[in-house]
Coordinates of all heavy atoms in Angstrom, one line a residue:
R18 N -5.7 -9.5 31.7 CA -6.0 -10.5 30.6 C -6.1 -9.9 29.3 O -5.5 -10.5 28.3 CB -7.3 -11.2 31.0 CG -7.6 -12.4 30.1 CD -9.0 -12.9 30.3 NE -10.1 -11.9 30.0 CZ -10.5 -11.7 28.8 NH1 -9.9 -12.2 27.7 NH2 -11.4 -10.8 28.6
R19 N -6.7 -8.7 29.2 CA -6.8 -8.1 27.8 C -5.5 -7.7 27.3 O -5.1 -7.9 26.1 CB -7.7 -6.8 27.9 CG -9.2 -7.2 27.9 CD -10.0 -5.9 27.9 NE -11.4 -6.2 28.1 CZ -12.3 -5.4 28.4 NH1 -11.9 -4.2 28.8 NH2 -13.6 -5.7 28.6
K20 N -4.6 -7.2 28.3 CA -3.3 -6.7 27.9 C -2.4 -8.0 27.4 O -1.7 -7.9 26.4 CB -2.5 -6.1 29.0 CG -1.2 -5.5 28.6 CD -0.5 -4.8 29.8 CE 0.8 -4.3 29.4 NZ 1.5 -3.6 30.5
K21 N -2.6 -9.1 28.1 CA -1.9 -10.4 27.7 C -2.3 -10.8 26.3 O -1.6 -11.2 25.4 CB -2.0 -11.4 28.8 CG -1.3 -12.6 28.5 CD -1.5 -13.7 29.6 CE -0.7 -14.9 29.3 NZ -0.9 -15.9 30.4
N22 N -3.7 -10.8 26.1 CA -4.2 -11.3 24.8 C -3.8 -10.3 23.6 O -3.5 -10.7 22.6 CB -5.7 -11.3 24.8 CG -6.2 -12.4 25.7 OD1 -5.5 -13.4 25.9 ND2 -7.5 -12.4 26.1
A23 N -3.8 -9.0 23.9 CA -3.4 -8.0 23.0 C -2.0 -8.2 22.6 O -1.5 -8.2 21.4 CB -3.6 -6.6 23.4
K24 N -1.1 -8.5 23.6 CA 0.3 -8.8 23.4 C 0.5 -10.0 22.5 O 1.3 -10.0 21.5 CB 1.1 -8.9 24.7 CG 2.5 -9.2 24.5 CD 3.1 -9.5 25.9 CE 4.6 -10.1 25.7 NZ 5.1 -10.8 26.9
G25 N -0.2 -11.0 22.8 CA -0.2 -12.2 21.9 C -0.7 -12.0 20.5 O -0.1 -12.5 19.5
N26 N -1.7 -11.2 20.3 CA -2.2 -10.8 19.0 C -1.1 -10.0 18.2 O -0.9 -10.2 17.0 CB -3.5 -10.1 19.0 CG -4.6 -11.0 19.5 OD1 -4.6 -12.2 19.3 ND2 -5.7 -10.4 19.9
V27 N -0.4 -9.1 18.8 CA 0.6 -8.2 18.1 C 1.7 -9.2 17.8 O 2.3 -9.0 16.7 CB 1.0 -7.1 19.1 CG1 2.2 -6.4 18.6 CG2 -0.1 -6.1 19.3
Q28 N 2.1 -10.1 18.7 CA 3.2 -11.0 18.4 C 2.8 -11.9 17.2 O 3.6 -12.1 16.3 CB 3.5 -11.8 19.6 CG 4.7 -12.7 19.4 CD 6.0 -11.9 19.2 OE1 6.2 -10.9 19.8 NE2 6.8 -12.3 18.2
K124 N -5.9 -7.5 13.2 CA -6.2 -7.7 14.5 C -4.9 -7.2 15.4 O -5.1 -6.6 16.4 CB -6.4 -9.1 14.8 CG -6.7 -9.5 16.2 CD -8.2 -9.1 16.5 CE -8.4 -9.7 17.9 NZ -9.1 -8.8 18.7
G125 N -3.8 -7.5 15.0 CA -2.6 -7.1 15.7 C -2.4 -5.5 15.7 O -2.0 -5.0 16.8
D128 N -5.2 -4.2 18.2 CA -4.7 -4.5 19.5 C -3.6 -3.6 20.0 O -3.5 -3.1 21.1 CB -4.4 -5.9 19.8 CG -5.7 -6.7 19.8 OD1 -6.8 -6.2 20.0 OD2 -5.5 -8.0 19.6
Y129 N -2.6 -3.4 19.1 CA -1.5 -2.5 19.4 C -2.0 -1.1 19.7 O -1.5 -0.5 20.7 CB -0.5 -2.5 18.3 CG 0.7 -1.6 18.7 CD1 1.7 -2.1 19.6 CD2 0.9 -0.4 18.2 CE1 2.8 -1.2 19.9 CE2 1.9 0.5 18.5 CZ 2.8 0.0 19.4 OH 3.9 0.8 19.8
K131 N -4.9 -0.1 20.7 CA -5.7 -0.1 21.9 C -4.8 -0.1 23.2 O -4.9 0.7 24.1 CB -6.6 -1.3 22.1 CG -7.8 -1.2 21.2 CD -8.7 -2.5 21.4 CE -9.9 -2.5 20.5 NZ -10.7 -3.7 20.6
T132 N -3.8 -0.9 23.2 CA -2.9 -1.0 24.3 C -1.9 0.2 24.4 O -1.7 0.6 25.5 CB -2.0 -2.3 24.3 OG1 -1.3 -2.4 23.1 CG2 -2.9 -3.5 24.5
I144 N 4.7 -4.3 25.2 CA 4.6 -4.5 23.7 C 5.8 -3.9 23.0 O 6.4 -4.4 22.1 CB 3.2 -4.0 23.1 CG1 2.1 -4.9 23.7 CG2 3.2 -4.1 21.7 CD1 0.8 -4.5 23.4

Side-chain angles (χ1 to χ4, degrees):
R18 186 188 63 77
R19 284 185 184 158
K20 183 177 179 180
K21 184 178 179 180
N22 287 343
K24 180 184 167 201
N26 289 338
V27 171
Q28 186 62 42
K124 181 78 172 136
D128 284 342
Y129 179 77
K131 283 181 184 176
T132 56
I144 293 174

